[in-house]
Amino acid sequence: MKRLKLIEVGEFYKITLKNKWLIKARKDIDYDKTNYIGKILVDENGNRIGKILDVIGNTNNPYILVYPLKGTEPKGKIFVEIIEKKRRR
C-alpha cells in the first residue's frame, strides 16, 4: 500500500521564459539528499498544479523551476507529493 506524504517547499515567485514557474524554495530542506525532480506539486487545497523540472540556485537561496499543469498562478503555500511505499517484513 502506498502512503502520500506532503512536504511544504515554498511559495510562487514569478513566471519565467516559456511560461515556466519559479518557486522560492525553503532554505531548511536538503535538496541534495532527496531527489525532487519529476515530483508533483500541489497547492493548499490539494490540487495538482505542476511538475518539478529542476532545483536551481545556491543552498542559501534555492529556487524550483516548475512546469505548470494549470494556467493560473498558485496562491499561498506549495507542497510536494512524495509517495512512500510500505515495507514488507
Side-chain angles (χ1 to χ4, degrees):
M1 182 174 182
K2 296 179 184 177
R3 270 188 355 187
L4 189 63
K5 181 178 175 183
L6 295 178
I7 298 175
E8 181 186 346
V9 291
E11 294 183 359
F12 179 78
Y13 181 63
K14 69 177 186 176
I15 296 176
T16 61
L17 296 173
K18 298 185 181 178
N19 294 328
K20 304 291 188 287
W21 292 346
L22 206 56
I23 306 294
K24 182 145 177 79
R26 289 179 32 196
K27 299 176 188 177
D28 59 340
I29 297 176
D30 187 10
Y31 296 99
D32 292 332
K33 191 175 184 181
T34 306
N35 186 12
Y36 288 99
I37 297 174
K39 304 284 188 212
I40 300 294
L41 293 175
V42 297
D43 61 3
E44 292 177 336
N45 300 327
N47 300 324
R48 292 181 171 198
I49 58 169
K51 185 175 181 180
I52 297 177
L53 296 175
D54 200 5
V55 179
I56 56 176
N58 58 21
T59 56
N60 293 331
N61 204 9
Y63 290 91
I64 298 173
L65 188 64
V66 177
Y67 178 77
L69 298 177
K70 293 188 174 185
T72 60
E73 299 173 4
K75 304 278 191 271
K77 297 178 183 177
I78 298 174
F79 302 88
V80 64
E81 280 185 352
I82 296 181
I83 298 172
E84 295 179 335
K85 296 180 181 176
K86 187 174 180 181
R87 294 184 180 187
R88 293 186 182 184
R89 291 186 182 187

